[in-house]
Amino acid sequence: MLDERALVDGCRHKDRTAQRKLYELFARKLFVVSQRYTKNRDDAEDVLQDSFVKAFQHIDTFRFECPLEAWLKRIVINTALKHIRKQKPWQNQAELEDVTPNALPQTEDSLSGLHYQQLLKMVQELPPGCQAVFNLYAIEGYTHPEIAELLDISEGTSKSQFSRARMLLQQKIQNERPIPK
């Protein structure tokens, strides 16, 4: 197998074999990322496809300052966010400037018993604004100010969307659990 530097060099020279190998090496992992930001498989595939097109168009900008996978993941996230922004999910949303962690019920429940596909489906069922903010904050590790800048929303909107996402997910998780006898 070619190393990453050879793959990138091949992609820079528009070598279709290198492009295919790069795609095969990272597509599955990046598809999972794409699914977290989209409502269905078709949208996730579109985001992934657009992301690889962008990656191949801009491969000359990759300088190995970070792992290739991280660079590609960033492209997928940005492509997914652009897809979401086109839908304008934050219009007509109330803002909460000061959302505190105590605003939500705190539970000691674990997620054991829930499968990844169940959790993914729950996240995909969130309203688009909640889904994007939840993924960026809880999974990708962005801060609310960073999310606000990425999504061109206020920090308060980011906090309120995250709060709403947590509440909705907690309700979904409670509904999925079998009732103890």
Side-chain angles (χ1 to χ4, degrees), residues 48-95:
L48 183 68
Q49 181 71 21
D50 290 347
S51 298
F52 271 100
V53 168
K54 287 177 186 174
F56 294 139
Q57 288 172 342
H58 300 286
I59 196 78
D60 287 336
T61 65
F62 181 66
R63 302 280 179 246
F64 291 96
E65 294 167 350
C66 66
L68 179 58
E69 182 177 343
W71 184 75
L72 292 168
K73 182 178 177 183
R74 182 80 146 144
I75 292 172
V76 171
I77 291 169
N78 287 334
T79 303
L81 293 177
K82 184 177 180 183
H83 175 79
I84 292 166
R85 279 191 298 264
K86 285 180 185 176
Q87 299 168 2
K88 300 188 186 253
W90 296 280
Q91 283 185 329
N92 303 320
Q93 291 290 320
E95 287 187 23

Side-chain angles (χ1 to χ4, degrees), residues 107 109 122 169-179:
T107 63
D109 295 335
M122 289 177 188
L169 285 172
Q170 286 174 344
Q171 290 171 354
K172 288 176 183 291
I173 289 168
Q174 291 299 339
N175 292 339
E176 286 289 319
R177 293 178 194 253
I179 299 172

Side-chain angles (χ1 to χ4, degrees), residues 90-155:
W90 296 280
Q91 283 185 329
N92 303 320
Q93 291 290 320
E95 287 187 23
L96 292 177
E97 290 300 328
D98 296 306
V99 175
T100 63
N102 296 332
L104 294 172
Q106 301 298 312
T107 63
E108 296 298 321
D109 295 335
S110 75
L111 296 178
S112 62
L114 288 178
H115 297 284
Y116 171 78
Q117 289 300 326
Q118 289 173 295
L119 290 172
L120 176 61
K121 184 175 183 269
M122 289 177 188
V123 171
Q124 288 176 322
E125 290 172 349
L126 290 172
C130 293
Q131 181 184 10
V133 172
F134 179 82
N135 283 320
L136 289 168
Y137 187 82
I139 297 172
E140 309 298 344
Y142 286 90
T143 64
H144 288 295
E146 291 170 328
I147 294 168
E149 186 176 330
L150 275 171
L151 299 177
D152 196 26
I153 59 176
S154 73
E155 189 176 334

Side-chain angles (χ1 to χ4, degrees), residues 19-69:
Q19 290 174 337
R20 182 175 31 80
K21 287 182 181 179
L22 183 77
Y23 179 85
E24 290 170 353
L25 185 62
F26 294 107
R28 294 183 116 205
K29 287 181 184 178
L30 296 174
F31 182 70
V32 172
V33 174
S34 179
Q35 280 186 299
R36 286 198 312 256
Y37 289 89
T38 56
K39 292 289 182 196
N40 57 56
R41 185 175 185 86
D42 289 340
D43 286 346
E45 288 171 355
D46 288 346
V47 166
L48 183 68
Q49 181 71 21
D50 290 347
S51 298
F52 271 100
V53 168
K54 287 177 186 174
F56 294 139
Q57 288 172 342
H58 300 286
I59 196 78
D60 287 336
T61 65
F62 181 66
R63 302 280 179 246
F64 291 96
E65 294 167 350
C66 66
L68 179 58
E69 182 177 343

